[in-house]
Amino acid sequence: MKKYILFLAVAGLMSSCYDLDQYPHDKLNSGTFWKTETHAHQGMMSIYNVMKNSDVFGTYFSMDGLGETGWGMFDDVAKGTYTDRSSSIQNKWQGLYEGIARCNLLLQNIDNVEMSEELKTQYKGEAKFMRALYYFQLLDLYGGVPVYDETTVVSNDFMNMKKPRSTADEVRQFILDDLQEAINVLPVHWDQTEFGRATRGAAVALRGKVKLYNKDYSGAIVDFEEIVYDRDGRGYGYKLYPDYAKLFTPEGDASEEMIFAIQNMSGTGTEYGMPFGLRLGSRSSYGGGWNNCVPTDILVDMYENKDGTAFNWEDYIPGFTTDKKVQKETFLAELTNGIVSKYPEKKDLIRQIYENRDPRLEQTIITPYAMYYGCNGTTPKWMEFVLAPGTNENYGYIRNNRGWYDYLWRKFVPEGDMNGTLTNREHVPINFPLIRYADVLLMLAECYNEQNRQDDAVALINQVRQRPSTNMPALNSGPSWLEARTKEEVFKRIDHERAIELACEGHRFGDLKRWGLCEERLNFTYDDILGMDRYVRVFVERDYLWPIPAVEFERNENLEGQQNPGW
């Protein structure tokens, strides 16, 4: 498959003659490296490699746990107990700056490489795209941060890297400048052997996102329209993939919907993927998953009925939302010697309730009494998601590693052993999108709505709703419950579509923050499918920005007095 070719080379260089994770930076500058085009390619691949760090984008799906749609990793942040010394806060900061350092290292040395000036310029643009990506994540989480560019040589200046914080506006402008240089030189498409590297389209889309997050809607429209309408005839060719479920399998990895994605692979001796099986999978996934991240009932209840009406449990089971005893009676089965001896009386109704919903629900989440093609250890096996104490994959039931009664992700989670291509639950060969076309459509719709172009916004939302495999009723197509005419009504639809279309892709926390909705949405008691309380989600005003890690103040006296408000 196309996606494997580039990263087979990466896996090889990371485990053999040269390892940028281990080789000292001062040695890279001493004349032993940065001489040939192969060296430049290896250096660039090391920049991409940082994305897979679990503290960068390697578990980015877990960021949904900071919204109302999921939970799991970042427990201390979700519960409001984190501090400026929490490992999650420190590791994210350090991981992103590691990516930035690698970008700067290439920029410092690329002119010494024996290759054409045109190719050098392209490499510089590519490194600046990646640097912008890393800085944008820092900006979103921490606000203004110290900016280090290629004039800082880590091997010489490590003990003197003591810049004060730049303002958020200064960091944003630095990002936009980097993206402009990337846009000027990056190709629209790479050759098949380099599939997965940053393109002009990726840089334009990211620039639009940066502008959107700064409420520069007019500027963001220009960028997003270049992607959607391609009026300059650059041949982007982006479009929605017809099958939502298959988009998050190897079949959809190289589709025209993927604007920029982390390239993942697996196989004996070539593990180079992300831990979807370990972190998102259940004990009944390949090798046994940990369920570190699970979807909430809040997300599940967002999915509309197939006719576009809002879903409400009370329409099917009176008292469900007010009486936790009713929830338990609705779902709980009984086991005898590990085998279901009594299904809940409403099992057929339960399946009807889930199956009569927006198809993305069953394509994204494993719901009670649905089937999942998982594994008993590493042996593929069909299993049923039964809610009962003591379920076991040996008997054909999905086992939740936590022992709680949570919904389970289906999206990104491997099925069986993926026809023999999966050999490690921590390296699942499914690409992870950081920017995809549906996301751009919804961001452009948001910009149109802010510019009071509601009809244009609704047209884009309807494109996402009417993907062939989704085929939900179009907004403003007749029934009163599909009406979205005012700015407020259209925003509610954008909010809804982003929650379910982009579930488990890491965007929800950023969405709620930029909309200023976190206090409203992120203070609640989370209960599981049976109505049992599990934890209290807490968000206060200070949480819009994470604290600058305490260790950074100890290393850099020029940060004194520059901590984020409330910390």
Side-chain angles (χ1 to χ4, degrees):
M1 298 179 62
K2 289 195 294 183
K3 69 164 186 162
Y4 295 147
I5 298 174
L6 169 61
F7 286 91
L8 276 172
V10 179
L13 76 90
M14 286 297 145
S15 61
S16 57
C17 63
Y18 178 70
D19 188 340
L20 281 172
D21 284 321
Q22 303 295 328
Y23 210 94
H25 284 181
D26 61 338
K27 297 299 182 185
L28 296 182
N29 295 325
S30 67
T32 62
F33 201 72
W34 302 111
K35 293 299 182 183
T36 68
E37 187 173 332
T38 298
H39 290 164
H41 190 274
Q42 291 174 337
M44 182 60 70
M45 292 307 101
S46 82
I47 295 172
Y48 285 102
N49 188 48
V50 173
M51 289 194 294
K52 293 178 186 289
N53 183 319
S54 61
D55 296 309
V56 182
F57 296 110
T59 56
Y60 193 59
F61 47 78
S62 66
M63 293 296 288
D64 271 15
L66 297 179
E68 80 279 58
T69 57
W71 76 279
M73 302 173 74
F74 295 107
D75 278 1
D76 57 344
V77 179
K79 295 174 182 177
T81 60
Y82 67 117
T83 72
D84 57 2
R85 293 192 182 276
S86 295
S87 60
S88 54
I89 304 304
Q90 293 183 181
N91 294 344
K92 177 71 77 171
W93 174 284
Q94 292 170 2
L96 289 164
Y97 269 112
E98 169 64 19
I100 290 165
R102 294 192 186 198
C103 296
N104 288 337
L105 186 63
L106 184 142
L107 291 167
Q108 291 157 5
N109 291 282
I110 193 69
D111 284 331
N112 299 326
V113 176
E114 295 180 4
M115 61 186 193
S116 70
E117 291 302 315
E118 180 181 4
L119 198 53
K120 288 179 183 178
T121 300
Q122 184 173 283
Y123 267 80
K124 291 176 183 178
E126 192 174 0
K128 289 185 176 183
F129 167 84
M130 293 300 297
R131 186 168 68 180
L133 180 68
Y134 295 136
Y135 267 122
F136 181 53
Q137 183 70 181
L138 283 168
L139 175 65
D140 185 43
L141 293 174
Y142 302 94
V145 296
V147 172
Y148 296 97
D149 61 14
E150 62 270 31
T151 62
T152 300
V153 180
V154 175
S155 59
N156 297 334
D157 301 330
F158 180 76
M159 299 304 295
N160 298 310
M161 293 175 66
K162 297 183 178 182
K163 287 188 176 182
R165 293 179 69 176
S166 295
T167 66
D169 287 341
E170 290 169 340
V171 176
R172 186 178 302 107
Q173 189 59 55
F174 183 83
I175 292 168
L176 292 173
D177 290 345
D178 267 1
L179 289 173
Q180 182 60 61
E181 294 194 41
I183 289 167
N184 290 341
V185 299
L186 287 179
V188 172
H189 303 288
W190 287 90
D191 292 339
Q192 182 172 328
T193 55
E194 300 297 319
F195 180 80
R197 294 174 70 172
T199 61
R200 175 188 170 95
V204 171
L206 180 57
R207 186 174 66 177
K209 185 173 182 176
V210 174
K211 293 175 181 177
L212 168 63
Y213 272 53
N214 194 40
K215 303 186 186 309
D216 176 10
Y217 302 115
S218 297
I221 285 172
V222 173
D223 287 331
F224 293 144
E225 284 188 340
E226 177 174 336
I227 298 299
V228 173
Y229 301 117
D230 194 15
R231 294 193 176 109
D232 292 334
R234 295 183 182 277
Y236 289 121
Y238 298 122
K239 60 183 179 181
L240 294 172
Y241 192 64
D243 192 319
Y244 183 82
K246 292 182 179 178
L247 180 61
F248 309 105
T249 70
E251 182 175 320
D253 279 349
S255 76
E256 293 88 347
E257 183 158 347
M258 296 297 190
I259 296 177
F260 186 66
I262 298 177
Q263 307 294 298
N264 291 312
M265 63 182 299
S266 183
T268 303
T270 57
E271 283 88 1
Y272 197 74
M274 285 172 60
F276 301 129
L278 178 66
R279 301 296 188 181
L280 300 179
S282 68
R283 284 289 294 273
S284 303
S285 300
Y286 183 93
W290 291 355
N291 298 129
N292 293 110
C293 305
V294 295
T296 64
D297 52 353
I298 298 172
L299 171 63
V300 173
D301 291 350
M302 287 182 183
Y303 289 84
E304 299 168 345
N305 297 313
K306 280 187 177 179
D307 64 0
T309 55
F311 172 75
N312 189 336
W313 280 103
E314 295 291 332
D315 294 337
Y316 298 90
I317 305 173
F320 183 95
T321 59
T322 57
D323 189 340
K324 294 185 177 182
K325 181 180 178 181
V326 174
Q327 293 184 41
K328 189 173 182 179
E329 291 174 348
T330 297
F331 286 108
L332 200 59
E334 296 179 12
L335 300 184
T336 301
N337 297 323
I339 304 294
V340 173
S341 56
K342 182 180 179 181
Y343 280 99
E345 292 181 3
K346 294 183 173 66
K347 178 189 174 184
D348 291 343
L349 177 59
I350 291 170
R351 292 310 313 147
Q352 176 188 339
I353 288 171
Y354 291 120
E355 292 169 0
N356 190 40
R357 307 276 289 285
D358 183 325
R360 287 172 291 185
L361 170 57
E362 293 280 283
Q363 295 165 353
T364 301
I365 294 166
I366 303 174
T367 57
Y369 301 99
M371 300 300 293
Y372 161 64
Y373 189 53
C375 279
N376 187 348
T378 58
T379 302
K381 184 175 185 177
W382 279 102
M383 300 183 192
E384 183 180 22
F385 186 18
V386 169
L387 298 184
T391 52
N392 194 307
E393 59 269 27
N394 291 316
Y395 300 104
Y397 309 122
I398 296 172
R399 179 153 48 129
N400 185 329
N401 188 65
R402 289 179 178 267
W404 295 359
Y405 297 97
D406 298 304
Y407 289 99
L408 302 173
W409 291 114
R410 190 184 295 273
K411 189 173 180 179
F412 297 118
V413 176
E415 294 188 352
D417 64 356
M418 299 183 67
N419 297 318
T421 62
L422 178 61
T423 59
N424 189 322
R425 62 185 179 172
E426 297 185 68
H427 295 279
V428 176
I430 299 173
N431 289 356
F432 183 76
L434 294 178
I435 309 172
R436 62 181 175 93
Y437 187 62
D439 182 16
V440 170
L441 289 175
L442 293 174
M443 288 192 289
L444 179 55
E446 183 177 338
C447 293
Y448 283 159
N449 191 47
E450 291 294 334
Q451 296 288 311
N452 295 311
R453 297 171 59 181
Q454 278 70 48
D455 289 346
D456 292 333
V458 166
L460 296 177
I461 297 169
N462 282 339
Q463 285 188 44
V464 177
R465 288 176 64 85
Q466 298 197 295
R467 183 195 303 267
S469 67
T470 302
N471 196 29
M472 287 294 288
L475 303 181
N476 298 334
S477 60
S480 60
W481 59 83
L482 293 172
E483 287 291 294
R485 306 287 183 182
T486 68
K487 184 176 182 179
E488 292 73 21
E489 290 170 341
V490 173
F491 172 75
K492 288 181 180 179
R493 296 293 181 168
I494 293 168
D495 176 3
H496 170 84
E497 289 298 324
R498 288 191 65 81
I500 60 177
E501 171 70 23
L502 303 172
C504 202
E505 295 181 45
H507 301 294
R508 192 60 177 171
F509 189 46
D511 286 349
L512 293 177
K513 286 204 304 173
R514 79 169 182 278
W515 295 333
L517 292 177
C518 291
E519 290 98 334
E520 174 186 334
R521 300 284 186 83
L522 300 183
N523 286 288
F524 58 84
T525 298
Y526 169 71
D527 61 350
D528 64 17
I529 298 173
L530 299 187
M532 293 187 285
D533 293 345
R534 293 305 182 189
Y535 78 95
V536 177
R537 177 70 171 99
V538 176
F539 189 98
V540 296
E541 186 176 359
R542 70 169 190 176
D543 297 318
Y544 277 100
L545 290 177
W546 286 359
I548 304 300
V551 67
E552 298 302 321
F553 290 91
E554 293 161 4
R555 293 167 176 165
N556 181 0
E557 63 271 15
N558 291 319
L559 291 176
E560 184 177 352
Q562 297 183 7
Q563 183 58 281
N564 283 324
W567 294 100

